[in-house]
Amino acid sequence: MATALAPSPQVSDAEWEARQQLAACYRVFDMLGWSEMIYNHITVKLPDQDGAFLINPFGLHFSEVKASNLVKIDIDGNKLDDSPYPVNRAGFVQHALFHRHLPDAHCIMHSHTTAGMAVASLEGGLRPTNFYACNFIGQIAYHDFEGVTVRDEEGERLLAHLGDKRVMLLRNHGILAMGRTLPEAFVKHWALQRACEIQVATMGMGQPIEISPEVVAVHQRDVHMAQVPGGPGAADFAAMVRLVDRIDRSWRE
């Protein structure tokens, strides 16, 4: 991603690049209708600073997030910069848990989209009724709702329920997706959101046709053949950033 403005002397090139990528992602979420007032969150590890992360400033809408106003925090959610904005404890308790225990969780995304919450609130959760859902059958974890996520002691159960999965439906709550890169987490979130949207639409029309386990297995075996080179989600995310740039480039500041 090209750097539009130079970082301040206190910010490394690696941190500025991470800031711009994350700010772009918040704007992409907003463009796609995934904002939730001033709530929900996407976090990334800083590649050149062990134990440092970026999160959105609590109190700003996703459409207001910029590279320069993202908040740098440690693994416990304490601010590491002089940002005037607070950090949403409910936003980072859960993320800190996964960042701390999962070395491959470079980026974590959590949203309260209508379709995501609806399927998370449905008995049986995601069903094998559409192309995108087939990506996740057998690959998605579930965690029962225990109230707003501000208590550290819920962490042990979250980790146990996640297991070796990297996508989760938080029952009655929403979507959780993580990846080794931000684009990978993004494309997982996007595909799960599409799966949920289509399931909601299909169930509103009648009895869905369920895809057999044998076909799901073939789909998961072969789906990588439909990916563009460059790493999971890289081309997808870059395309969305180009669309955001046509609307407003202020996220680069």
Side-chain angles (χ1 to χ4, degrees), residues 23 46 48 74 79-80 104 107 125 131 137 139-141 153 185 215 218 227-228 237:
L46 284 175
D48 62 338
D74 65 17
K79 289 195 288 185
L80 297 175
D104 59 325
C107 178
F131 179 100
I137 301 304
Q139 308 298 321
I140 189 168
E153 51 87 18
V215 173
V218 170
Q227 295 176 351
V228 177
F237 183 68

Side-chain angles (χ1 to χ4, degrees), residues 54-132:
L54 295 174
I55 193 170
N56 52 316
F58 191 31
L60 295 189
H61 191 265
F62 280 11
S63 64
E64 299 176 291
V65 173
K66 301 179 180 182
S68 58
N69 65 26
L70 289 162
V71 185
K72 181 160 63 171
I73 55 177
D74 65 17
I75 193 65
D76 297 311
N78 302 305
K79 289 195 288 185
L80 297 175
D81 57 20
D82 59 357
S83 172
Y85 298 101
V87 174
N88 183 359
R89 177 169 173 77
F92 199 65
V93 164
Q94 180 189 94
H95 287 226
L97 169 80
F98 296 124
H99 280 308
R100 190 189 303 272
H101 293 282
L102 305 175
D104 59 325
H106 169 78
C107 178
I108 301 175
M109 302 179 173
H110 171 54
S111 68
H112 289 178
T113 66
T114 300
M117 291 187 77
V119 173
S121 304
L122 183 70
E123 187 71 36
L126 189 69
R127 296 169 59 182
T129 61
N130 64 73
F131 179 100
Y132 295 113

Side-chain angles (χ1 to χ4, degrees), residues 1-7 16-17 20 67 245 249-253:
M1 183 185 302
T3 300
L5 296 175
W16 188 246
E17 183 176 354
Q20 287 206 316
D245 267 344
R249 293 172 61 89
S250 65
W251 59 268
R252 294 178 176 271
E253 299 171 0

Side-chain angles (χ1 to χ4, degrees), residues 23 27 36 45 65 67 69 78 84 92 122 132 137 184 187 209 230 241-242:
R27 297 299 185 95
E36 185 81 356
K45 292 180 183 178
V65 173
N69 65 26
N78 302 305
F92 199 65
L122 183 70
Y132 295 113
I137 301 304
E184 180 181 62
V187 79
I209 301 170
V241 174
R242 291 194 296 272

Side-chain angles (χ1 to χ4, degrees), residues 117-166:
M117 291 187 77
V119 173
S121 304
L122 183 70
E123 187 71 36
L126 189 69
R127 296 169 59 182
T129 61
N130 64 73
F131 179 100
Y132 295 113
C134 287
N135 294 4
F136 299 102
I137 301 304
Q139 308 298 321
I140 189 168
Y142 291 87
H143 174 70
D144 288 342
F145 184 62
E146 298 187 22
V148 63
T149 51
V150 294
R151 292 171 289 104
D152 294 325
E153 51 87 18
E154 188 178 353
E156 184 176 338
R157 293 182 292 281
L158 273 162
L159 279 173
H161 292 155
L162 182 70
D164 62 353
K165 312 295 191 301
R166 293 298 179 264

Side-chain angles (χ1 to χ4, degrees), residues 233-244:
D236 311 75
F237 183 68
M240 293 297 100
V241 174
R242 291 194 296 272
L243 290 178
V244 163

